[in-house]
Amino acid sequence: MRKFRTLLGATLAGACALAVVPGTALAAPAAAPQQATADLTDTTGAYYEVSPARLMDTREGLGAPKAKIGPLAKVDLQVAGRGGVPAVGAGAVVLNVTITGPTMDSFVTAYPAGETRPDASSVNFAKGWLGSNNVTVKLGAGGKVSVYNRNGYTDVVVDVVGYYAKDNSMTNRNGGQYEWYAPERAFDTREDPEGKPPAGTTLEYALDFGPDRNPHMRTLVTNLTAVAPASAGFLTAWSGATAKPTASTVNYGAGRNVPNTAFIQTTPCTGAEPFQWCTVGSRKFKIFTSASAHVLVDVVGAVDDGFSEWGMRFAPMSPTRIVDTRTNLGIAGAIPANATRRAVVPGYTPETGVAVMNVTAVKPTNNTVITVWPADIPEIPKPDTSNLNPYANQVVSNAVLSIVEPNGAYKVHNLSGSTHLVADMVGTFYYLPAPAATLSGDAGKSQPQFVGASHR
């Protein structure tokens, strides 16, 4: 729980005051902290981003037979050796799983091939639904992932955005580490004087982590939400350093508010941008919307290049259900309107900083908003962000990277009506051991700052 100890007295006291106040800075970053060299010689749990790549599309016969996945059926998808994932050395992958054209209410579960199917779900959906979910899954036998469908028939599309090293066998030693930020809404087109972005718009945004940290920040971790789209479509988020990839990040139906966790690669601002809308060195990225839709970007973390003492590595696990309010597991009973519940992560150790979960709202009585944040860091109150935006009687899920230090607990708030909630854990981020000399009590880092936006 190193980050809690080092940041508590330095910057977290002001962390949440920054929400939707562009240009407001917290305390300046301390002199650049660095991991000890010994900590970085082992790549185990390090993150490697890839350009979003399509691994499976049952509509086209890519990676699976050209047919919808039927009831109680599964497809074993080859992941290792495809889409930028190495043939050996990867232990888990970050996927975007899209459901299209389901014939019945159902769910899909992604889990390690060769293992017994867990009592967990990755994407929950209704008949005729179009949507996606960010899914982190441990690789199984032969570097494969099993994709199981419960009811009816559905097409499934799978895109890969990154992977985690299984062990120290990686030949690429340049792995990244995850660090959390207090959940914060960074961008919201509903507040943009240009109005709702029209179909075909590319939004370009930038965040400033400070001059010492900017060169080391590679991937932004967000909750990305499409709001009130005029028609069915999708968002694609990428660094902007290359042409727009064919992979999608958020898939939405007309008029539906749809969130999805997104790992978005970034690229540095150079000063040559039109109108010089972003500061040199800050990290920029792009979001394309195929239909007219508002776009919300909530920042929850970032992946660096191993530079920061706050960086964490990932330990995957087979999907494990840790909360089910329907059976009083983890939280007793449905969560009523404007209520907060506290949940505990089983098996918590002091090295654990973040739990990676798939959180599902089950048939809320009203349209509502679900928000998750750390339970025992008083300096981080309930944020003005969302993790789920379910409609009445809907079953919908989203990946959540929840801060659980210092006591292995997190809070969940339900805005309206009452709803049951399910949480399936797929792994944890943990801190590496570091010499005491790197853990200076007054070390601190700022929340990243909003520095600009461009629409075209």
Side-chain angles (χ1 to χ4, degrees), residues 267-293:
T267 192
C269 292
T270 64
E273 290 78 15
F275 311 111
Q276 296 184 341
W277 62 270
C278 63
T279 56
V280 175
S282 59
R283 308 299 298 190
K284 65 179 181 177
F285 60 97
K286 292 181 177 180
I287 301 171
F288 170 84
T289 180
S290 67
S292 177

Side-chain angles (χ1 to χ4, degrees), residues 146-198:
S146 293
V147 181
Y148 166 86
N149 175 49
R150 177 64 175 84
N151 301 319
Y153 295 80
T154 187
D155 280 308
V156 180
V157 179
V158 178
D159 301 316
V160 62
V161 299
Y163 63 91
Y164 296 98
K166 179 180 181 179
D167 49 34
N168 198 31
S169 65
M170 295 294 298
T171 57
N172 179 0
R173 315 300 290 182
N174 191 31
Q177 299 182 145
Y178 177 75
E179 51 184 282
W180 60 257
Y181 287 90
E184 174 183 11
R185 180 147 296 164
F187 307 104
D188 186 343
T189 62
R190 296 174 301 180
E191 299 178 356
D192 194 319
E194 295 188 32
K196 190 174 186 179

Side-chain angles (χ1 to χ4, degrees), residues 158-254:
V158 178
D159 301 316
V160 62
V161 299
Y163 63 91
Y164 296 98
K166 179 180 181 179
D167 49 34
N168 198 31
S169 65
M170 295 294 298
T171 57
N172 179 0
R173 315 300 290 182
N174 191 31
Q177 299 182 145
Y178 177 75
E179 51 184 282
W180 60 257
Y181 287 90
E184 174 183 11
R185 180 147 296 164
F187 307 104
D188 186 343
T189 62
R190 296 174 301 180
E191 299 178 356
D192 194 319
E194 295 188 32
K196 190 174 186 179
T201 295
T202 296
L203 308 169
E204 192 165 20
Y205 293 126
L207 288 169
D208 191 348
F209 293 87
D212 292 327
R213 300 174 58 76
N214 277 330
H216 303 279
M217 307 310 289
R218 303 196 316 205
T219 297
L220 191 66
V221 183
T222 72
N223 199 55
L224 184 60
T225 304
V227 175
S231 62
F234 61 90
L235 303 179
T236 295
W238 81 109
S239 69
T242 61
K244 180 175 67 68
T246 57
S248 59
T249 309
V250 179
N251 293 267
Y252 50 75

